[in-house]
């Protein structure tokens, strides 16, 4: 796991991306050192090969056929072949270790991004498109991998440029000065040109991520699109998004071509200049023919590496721009975090207290103000009221999906702000109206809250949830894949899987959020029987619009505009003929 802190990521753009990248490479930085050594040896080997070739050609040109010695020629050939074997062996070792490092660095970056996003508040996650988030998380790995590769190439190019430059200087200082001037001019051009390129690559990454979010959204709602016959409308929308992505891709290509064209023009001009100067020096007798050959061989090897270095400078800037967009995802502060000295929650039997709480989603618009409620150990409490009255907000606050502005929420006497989020979530079992399942076997969906559960325990939980019969009738029983979000199962079946999951979790507090509102009457009765089995020996908070599902509750709380306006047993509230009785009578019609 990465150790980089949020405070470090708040720094300005490229610095944040670079910090993240450096932290992702922790444990593999020795590879860069290895690359420096390998590049030095590889460059030295290539120089020696060039020297040997030059000397071999000079040997051939300085003797007659009668003076030719196979022994001398083969010494040169064996030297060249030996250097070739050495450099290729080093290259094999380097590529093997690099491939492992790159994949681990990418995986580590993705893991960090996913774990960070998972800690975000419900409010933040509701505003995001899951497809776009998934794309940005995947991009962390890709961007870190490509940036690692770019830095590695820059490292390897260092010696492949420095050593030939040293040999060129030893041959002729004037030509070395020319090489340095050319190099400085080329680097300045590449750095300046890559500014615009990095900006365009960052914007392109935004467009592509947004497009992937739109595609995922369309696929998630494909049945709704077909139901309304809106395929043409959606296709036109996606085409517009594609055009937006393509316009940036074309712009990227143009800028890259301009940069590459400028670099190649500089290199071509430089080659011609050096060739003319070298021939002039040979013509004047200042250097030998072998020196001209060596210079041309060195430049032939030097210039491609220098060209690659210029290209890698641009790539590094581009990759940092793309990674910067990904890192921006981690620059969103977490609104719900563990307290500095947070303790594990000891929930006991699940006594819950809301003490003088105040909360509002918007400044100046409180949902609750000085709200108080105590739920005893093992008490089953139903919460009813008009939509927007605060019912769902109350259970969101209990789960710490949001934090209260003032007041306290206690479980077994412990303030939930002072306990770890993990221990709080483990103490709560939640069954909502839309029980989401993973695209995994039924067995894994049931054991999600208790991964260590045995097959026997999973089946026992399914039996208590009255889910075992329909599970056995599925094509592969407990190994049947439920489909994305459980689409292969009916609503009632999904709810019973969710109940089995909650049974296996063994949490002392059970939250039911409209757990039966989407079911038909027959299925609802089956699910209620399963819920009654689950509610034994638990503290229960149940929200329901169908008031008949609350008839077995110990107490009913009626909330209106963030206030408790009535409370009592179902029978007592019906006798009062107040708000609860009015709602009950409306549903009986």
């Amino acid at each position: 796991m990465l150790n980089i802190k949020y405070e470090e990521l708040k720094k300005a753009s490229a610095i944040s991306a670079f910090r993240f990248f450096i932290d992702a490479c922790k444990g593999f930085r020795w590879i860069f050192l290895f690359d420096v050594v390998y590049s030095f040896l590889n460059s030295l080997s290539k120089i020696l090969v060039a020297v040997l070739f030059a000397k071999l050609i000079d040997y051939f040109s300085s003797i007659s056929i009668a003076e030719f010695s196979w022994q001398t020629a083969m010494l040169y050939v064996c030297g060249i072949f030996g250097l070739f074997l050495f450099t290729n062996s080093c290259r094999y070792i380097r590529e093997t270790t690099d491939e492992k490092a790159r994949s681990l660095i990418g995986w580590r970056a993705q893991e960090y991004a996913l774990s960070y996003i998972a800690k975000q508040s419900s409010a933040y996650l509701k505003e995001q498109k899951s497809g776009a988030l998934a794309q940005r998380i995947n991009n962390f790995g890709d961007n870190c991998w490509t940036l690692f590769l770019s830095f590695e190439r820059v490292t390897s190019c260092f010696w492949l440029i420095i050593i030939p430059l040293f040999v060129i200087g030893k041959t002729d200082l004037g030509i070395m000065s020319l090489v340095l001037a050319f190099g400085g001019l080329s680097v300045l051009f590449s750095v300046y040109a890559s500014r615009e390129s990095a900006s365009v690559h960052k914007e392109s990454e935004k467009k592509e991520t947004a497009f992937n979010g739109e595609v995922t959204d369309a696929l998630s709602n494909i049945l709704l699109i077909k139901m309304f016959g809106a395929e043409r409308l959606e296709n036109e929308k996606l085409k517009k998004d594609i055009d937006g992505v393509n316009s940036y891709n074309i712009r990227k290509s143009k800028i890259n071509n301009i940069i590459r064209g400028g670099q190649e023009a500089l290199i071509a001009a430089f080659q011609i200049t050096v060739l003319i100067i070298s021939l002039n020096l040979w013509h004047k007798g200042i250097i030998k023919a072998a020196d001209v050959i060596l210079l041309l061989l060195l430049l032939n090897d030097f210039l491609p590496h220098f060209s690659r270095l210029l290209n890698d400078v641009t790539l590094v800037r581009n990759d940092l721009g793309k990674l910067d967009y990904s890192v921006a995802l981690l620059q969103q502060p977490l609104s719900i975090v563990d307290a500095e000295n947070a303790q594990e929650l000891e929930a006991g039997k699940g006594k819950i207290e809301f003490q003088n709480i105040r909360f509002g989603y918007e400044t100046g618009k409180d949902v609750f103000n000085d709200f108080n409620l105590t739920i005893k150990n093992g008490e089953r409490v139903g919460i009813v009221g008009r939509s927007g009255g605060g019912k769902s907000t109350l259970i969101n606050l209990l789960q710490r999906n949001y934090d209260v502005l003032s007041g306290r929420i206690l479980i077994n006497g412990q303030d939930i702000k002072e306990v770890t989020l993990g221990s709080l979530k483990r103490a709560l079992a939640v069954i909502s109206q839309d029980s989401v399942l993973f695209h995994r076997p039924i067995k894994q969906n049931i054991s999600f809250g208790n991964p260590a559960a045995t097959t026997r325990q999973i089946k026992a939980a399914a039996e208590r949830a009255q889910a075992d019969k329909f599970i056995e009738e599925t094509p592969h029983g407990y190994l049947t894949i439920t489909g994305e979000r459980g689409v292969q199962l009916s609503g009632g079946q999904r709810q019973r899987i969710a109940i089995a999951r909650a049974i296996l979790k063994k949490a002392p507090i059970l939250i039911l959020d409209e757990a039966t509102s989407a079911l038909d009457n027959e299925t609802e009765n089956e699910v209620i029987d399963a819920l009654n089995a689950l509610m034994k020996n638990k503290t229960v908070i149940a929200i329901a619009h169908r008031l008949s599902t609350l008839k077995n509750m110990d107490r009913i709380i009626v909330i209106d505009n963030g206030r408790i306006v009535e409370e009592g047993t179902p029978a007592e509230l019906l006798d009062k003929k107040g708000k609860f009785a009015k709602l009950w009578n409306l549903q009986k019609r």
Side-chain angles (χ1 to χ4, degrees), residues 268-389:
F270 175 70
Q271 281 179 302
I272 294 169
T273 304
V274 170
L275 180 60
I276 293 171
I277 292 173
S278 299
L279 289 173
N280 185 52
L281 291 172
W282 170 77
H283 183 261
K284 291 179 178 179
I286 298 174
I287 60 175
K288 299 176 182 179
D291 292 330
V292 175
I293 293 168
L294 180 58
L295 276 172
L296 294 177
L297 285 172
L298 288 173
L299 287 173
N300 189 56
D301 187 57
F302 168 82
L303 289 173
H305 292 302
F306 190 76
S307 177
R308 196 177 77 177
L309 177 63
L310 296 177
N311 185 54
D312 288 339
V313 168
T314 304
L315 287 177
V316 167
R317 290 290 294 269
N318 293 344
D319 292 337
L320 278 172
K322 291 191 288 186
L323 184 60
D324 176 49
Y325 176 60
S326 295
V327 168
L329 195 65
L330 308 180
Q331 292 173 322
Q332 298 293 328
L334 299 175
S335 56
I336 308 294
V337 295
D338 285 341
E340 188 174 344
N341 298 311
Q343 304 295 315
E344 292 289 300
L345 173 63
E346 297 177 6
K349 294 183 179 179
K351 180 182 178 181
I352 302 169
E353 297 173 80
F354 296 88
Q355 296 182 348
N356 308 112
I357 67 168
R358 182 174 74 85
F359 175 77
Y361 295 102
E362 298 176 31
T363 304
K365 294 183 179 180
D366 290 345
V367 177
F368 293 108
N369 193 354
D370 197 27
F371 180 88
N372 291 276
L373 173 64
T374 298
I375 299 173
K376 301 173 186 175
N377 291 329
E379 187 178 18
R380 296 175 296 179
V381 174
I383 299 179
V384 301
R386 295 183 304 171
S387 295

Side-chain angles (χ1 to χ4, degrees), residues 112-123:
Y112 181 86
L114 181 60
S115 63
Y116 189 87
I117 294 301
K119 294 174 185 175
Q120 284 288 7
S121 67
S122 297

Side-chain angles (χ1 to χ4, degrees), residues 22-79:
I22 290 298
D23 202 65
C25 292
K26 193 170 288 181
F28 297 101
R29 296 172 192 166
W30 61 270
I31 290 177
F32 289 106
L33 179 61
F34 176 75
D35 279 337
V36 171
V37 175
Y38 163 77
S39 301
F40 172 75
L41 294 174
N42 187 42
S43 179
L44 190 61
S45 175
K46 288 186 176 184
I47 295 297
L48 290 174
V49 167
V51 170
L52 288 173
F53 263 119
K55 287 187 176 296
L56 184 60
I57 293 169
D58 190 49
Y59 171 69
F60 286 146
S61 63
S62 63
I63 62 171
S64 64
I65 295 175
E67 294 175 312
F68 176 74
S69 169
W70 275 105
Q71 185 177 4
T72 303
M74 290 308 294
L75 281 174
Y76 285 118
V77 172
C78 288

Side-chain angles (χ1 to χ4, degrees), residues 547 550-556 566-578 580-581 584:
L547 303 186
L550 302 177
K551 59 186 178 183
N552 293 323
M553 294 291 111
D554 299 320
R555 183 162 48 127
I556 301 293
E566 286 182 358
E567 64 177 306
T569 65
E572 288 172 348
L573 294 183
L574 287 173
D575 289 340
K576 282 186 178 179
K577 298 186 177 355
F580 180 77
W584 181 279

Side-chain angles (χ1 to χ4, degrees), residues 116-272:
Y116 189 87
I117 294 301
K119 294 174 185 175
Q120 284 288 7
S121 67
S122 297
Y124 173 84
L125 294 173
K126 285 177 182 177
E127 293 173 357
Q128 308 300 316
K129 288 184 177 178
S130 57
L133 277 179
Q135 180 68 25
R136 290 178 77 174
I137 289 170
N138 287 333
N139 285 349
F140 268 99
D142 293 340
N143 292 338
C144 281
W145 187 91
T146 54
L147 192 57
F148 180 88
L149 192 61
S150 297
F151 269 113
E152 189 180 67
R153 285 200 298 262
V154 169
T155 305
S156 66
C157 281
F158 179 76
W159 290 115
L160 292 171
I161 291 170
I162 293 298
I163 293 179
L165 186 63
F166 174 77
V167 177
I168 290 170
K170 193 175 179 183
T171 305
D172 188 87
L173 287 173
I175 292 178
M176 188 186 78
S177 301
L178 183 64
V179 172
L180 289 172
F182 157 74
L185 181 63
S186 299
V187 168
L188 285 174
F189 170 76
S190 297
V191 170
Y192 178 77
S194 65
R195 285 183 182 177
E196 179 67 16
S197 178
S199 175
V200 171
H201 274 74
K202 181 176 179 179
E203 289 302 315
S204 176
E205 189 90 346
K206 287 183 182 179
K207 290 286 183 183
E208 288 178 10
T209 301
F211 172 70
N212 283 312
E214 292 293 339
V215 171
T216 304
D217 190 41
L219 286 174
S220 300
N221 296 285
I222 193 69
L223 295 179
L224 180 65
I225 292 170
K226 293 174 72 68
M227 187 187 303
F228 279 82
E231 292 93 340
R232 183 178 175 182
L233 184 65
E234 285 299 309
N235 285 340
E236 288 175 355
K237 186 177 184 300
L238 288 177
K239 185 178 181 301
K240 186 178 179 181
D241 293 333
I242 290 171
D243 290 341
V245 172
N246 284 339
S247 67
Y248 270 95
N249 286 338
I250 292 169
R251 197 170 159 199
K252 267 197 310 185
S253 179
K254 284 181 178 178
I255 291 173
N256 289 340
N257 288 337
I258 290 170
I259 294 172
R260 193 176 301 112
Q263 291 168 349
E264 289 174 356
L266 285 168
I267 288 171
F270 175 70
Q271 281 179 302
I272 294 169

